[in-house]
Amino acid sequence: MHVILDLCVVPLGVGVSVSQYVVACHKELEKTGLKSKLHAYGTNIEGEWDEVMAAVKKCHEKIHTMGAPRITTTIKLGTRTDRDQTMDDKVQSVLGQLE
Amino acid sequence: MHVILDLCVVPLGVGVSVSQYVVACHKELEKTGLKSKLHAYGTNIEGEWDEVMAAVKKCHEKIHTMGAPRITTTIKLGTRTDRDQTMDDKVQSVLGQLE
Amino acid sequence: MHVILDLCVVPLGVGVSVSQYVVACHKELEKTGLKSKLHAYGTNIEGEWDEVMAAVKKCHEKIHTMGAPRITTTIKLGTRTDRDQTMDDKVQSVLGQLE
Amino acid sequence: MHVILDLCVVPLGVGVSVSQYVVACHKELEKTGLKSKLHAYGTNIEGEWDEVMAAVKKCHEKIHTMGAPRITTTIKLGTRTDRDQTMDDKVQSVLGQLE
C-alpha cells in the first residue's frame, strides 16, 4: 500500500526554537531513501506504508534521544487503490489547471 | 514507546455519508484490544507505537476492501519520555483545573 | 455556515506541561456559549463559522497573553450543505451502528 | 497577529478526483493577495489572522457553491510573539542547517 504523507513533528519542553529537531528528523528521512520534500509547515513523504511509518517512528525516537521529553505530531496521509499517484502528480494536477 | 493518537479516517469516492466506514474502522480497533474512544471528529487510541500504527493500517486496508478507492486520514499523536500518561490522565488534568 | 471543529492548541516555549494553557483556552470557549467537548487530544466545538473562528482566535490571544511566545495549532473542521448535523449526531450515527 | 497556516480542503460527495476544487480554492487564495504556496498535501498561507481566516472561509463557500455538499478540512497554524517569521524563514532555517 503506497502512501503520501505529510509530517509535522513538534518537540515540547525544549524552548521556542525547534528547527534543530526538524533538521534531525529530515536527516533520518534522508537515510531511508524515501522521497521527501520540506515545506513551511511540515514535510511530504511518499513510499510504501511500512517504510514511511518506520521513518516517522525513527524521527520520534531520534528527537527523544536528542533530549526532547515530549513530542506532538500531526500527520495527514492518503492511500488510493484506483490508480498510482505520486506527490509530483498531485501538485501537477493542480498547477496544470491553474495555467 | 507509548503513544496517544487521534485518528480521523475519511474515505473518498463513496458519497457524502461515511459513517459505515468509521464503524468498520472502529470494529477493527476493537479487535486489537487497544483502548480507544470515539469523539465527534475522530477516535483517540492509546498503546504501544507498533500496535497502534498496525491498527491504523488495518483501518485503511479494511476501508479499501469495503470499496473506497481513496482515503485521506488526519492523525495527531503524542509520545513522551518524562512520564507515563494515559488518555484519561490528559482529560483529567484539564477537567481537574476547571473545577 | 455551521461548522463542527476539532481544536488542538499547543503552546511552545513554556516547558513540557501545557495543561494550564488548555484550561485557559477551555474557559475562553465556555465564555462564548458555544457547545464544546474536551477529549484526550483536543476539543470539539460547534456553531456558526464566524463565532467558532472568533473563539479559536481568542484562545491564541489568551495563551500569548499568559506568556507563551509561540503556539502551533491543529484544526479539523467540517461544513455541509446537504443537511444539519451536530457533534452528537456524528457520534450517535457511529455508536448506533456499533450496537 | 501574523499567522502561518497550512490548509488542506477535502470535498466529499463529489467522487474520487478533487483537484478541480483545490484549483478553485487556490484561485480564491490568489484573489486575496495573500502569499501562498502549494505542496503535495495542502497549501501554506501567511498573513494577518483575520485575512487568512477569511480566505479559508472563502474556499469553503466556493467549494460548496461548486456543488460539494460536504467538506472536511485540516489546518495547522502557528502564531508567535517573540519574533517575526515568514514561511520562507521557516524553510530556510531548516535547509541552512542541512547544508
Side-chain angles (χ1 to χ4, degrees):
Chain A
M1 189 161 53
H2 185 264
V3 64
I4 296 178
L5 184 145
D6 183 54
L7 176 67
C8 178
V9 177
V10 179
L12 301 185
V14 293
V16 77
S17 179
V18 301
S19 66
Q20 66 176 299
Y21 301 92
V22 176
V23 169
C25 176
H26 209 76
K27 286 180 179 169
E28 291 299 319
L29 293 177
E30 286 181 343
K31 281 186 208 167
T32 65
L34 292 166
K35 188 164 182 187
S36 68
K37 190 159 196 303
L38 187 73
H39 61 82
Y41 224 124
T43 302
N44 296 157
I45 314 167
E46 72 177 324
E48 280 304 300
W49 180 288
D50 290 345
E51 288 175 56
V52 172
M53 288 308 194
V56 173
K57 188 182 179 186
K58 282 262 187 227
C59 284
H60 268 248
E61 289 172 337
K62 177 67 181 177
I63 291 170
H64 281 311
T65 303
M66 291 170 73
R70 188 175 186 178
I71 306 170
T72 186
T73 288
T74 301
I75 289 171
K76 291 174 287 193
L77 63 91
T79 58
R80 56 194 308 176
T81 55
D82 58 333
R83 66 182 183 91
D84 292 337
Q85 188 185 42
T86 64
M87 301 191 303
D88 288 343
D89 292 337
K90 287 186 76 175
V91 171
Q92 285 309 321
S93 79
V94 174
L95 292 185
Q97 292 175 62
L98 279 172
E99 278 155 19
Chain B
M1 189 161 55
H2 184 264
V3 65
I4 296 178
L5 184 146
D6 183 55
L7 176 67
C8 179
V9 177
V10 179
L12 301 184
V14 293
V16 76
S17 178
V18 301
S19 66
Q20 65 176 300
Y21 301 92
V22 176
V23 168
C25 176
H26 208 77
K27 285 180 180 169
E28 291 299 320
L29 293 178
E30 285 182 342
K31 280 186 207 166
T32 65
L34 292 166
K35 189 164 180 186
S36 68
K37 190 158 195 305
L38 187 74
H39 61 81
Y41 223 123
T43 301
N44 297 158
I45 314 168
E46 71 178 323
E48 280 304 301
W49 181 287
D50 290 343
E51 289 175 56
V52 171
M53 288 307 196
V56 172
K57 188 181 179 186
K58 282 262 186 228
C59 284
H60 267 249
E61 290 172 337
K62 177 68 182 178
I63 291 170
H64 281 311
T65 304
M66 291 170 72
R70 188 175 188 180
I71 306 171
T72 187
T73 288
T74 301
I75 289 172
K76 291 174 288 192
L77 65 90
T79 57
R80 57 195 306 177
T81 53
D82 57 333
R83 66 180 182 91
D84 293 337
Q85 187 185 43
T86 65
M87 301 191 303
D88 288 343
D89 292 338
K90 287 186 76 175
V91 171
Q92 284 309 320
S93 79
V94 173
L95 292 185
Q97 291 174 62
L98 279 171
E99 279 155 18
Chain C
M1 189 160 55
H2 185 264
V3 65
I4 296 178
L5 184 147
D6 183 55
L7 175 67
C8 179
V9 177
V10 179
L12 301 184
V14 293
V16 76
S17 178
V18 300
S19 66
Q20 64 176 300
Y21 301 93
V22 176
V23 168
C25 176
H26 208 76
K27 285 179 180 170
E28 291 299 320
L29 293 177
E30 285 182 344
K31 281 186 208 166
T32 64
L34 292 165
K35 189 165 181 185
S36 67
K37 190 159 194 303
L38 187 74
H39 61 81
Y41 223 124
T43 302
N44 298 157
I45 313 167
E46 71 178 323
E48 279 305 300
W49 180 287
D50 290 344
E51 288 175 56
V52 172
M53 288 308 195
V56 172
K57 188 182 179 187
K58 282 262 186 228
C59 284
H60 267 249
E61 291 172 336
K62 177 68 182 178
I63 291 170
H64 281 311
T65 304
M66 291 170 72
R70 188 175 187 178
I71 306 171
T72 186
T73 287
T74 301
I75 289 171
K76 293 174 287 193
L77 64 90
T79 57
R80 56 194 306 176
T81 54
D82 58 333
R83 66 181 182 91
D84 293 336
Q85 188 185 42
T86 64
M87 301 191 303
D88 288 343
D89 291 338
K90 287 187 76 176
V91 171
Q92 284 309 321
S93 79
V94 174
L95 291 185
Q97 291 174 63
L98 280 171
E99 277 155 20
Chain D
M1 189 161 53
H2 186 264
V3 65
I4 296 178
L5 184 146
D6 183 55
L7 175 67
C8 177
V9 176
V10 179
L12 301 183
V14 293
V16 76
S17 179
V18 300
S19 65
Q20 66 176 301
Y21 301 92
V22 177
V23 169
C25 176
H26 209 77
K27 286 179 180 169
E28 292 298 320
L29 293 178
E30 286 181 344
K31 280 185 209 167
T32 65
L34 292 166
K35 188 164 182 187
S36 68
K37 188 158 197 304
L38 188 73
H39 62 82
Y41 224 124
T43 302
N44 297 157
I45 314 165
E46 72 178 323
E48 280 305 300
W49 180 287
D50 290 344
E51 288 175 56
V52 172
M53 288 308 194
V56 173
K57 188 181 179 187
K58 282 262 186 225
C59 284
H60 267 249
E61 289 172 338
K62 177 67 181 178
I63 291 171
H64 281 311
T65 304
M66 292 170 72
R70 188 176 187 179
I71 306 170
T72 187
T73 287
T74 301
I75 289 171
K76 291 174 287 192
L77 65 89
T79 57
R80 57 193 308 176
T81 54
D82 57 333
R83 65 181 183 91
D84 292 338
Q85 187 184 42
T86 65
M87 301 192 301
D88 288 342
D89 292 337
K90 287 187 76 176
V91 171
Q92 285 309 321
S93 79
V94 173
L95 292 184
Q97 292 175 62
L98 279 172
E99 278 154 19

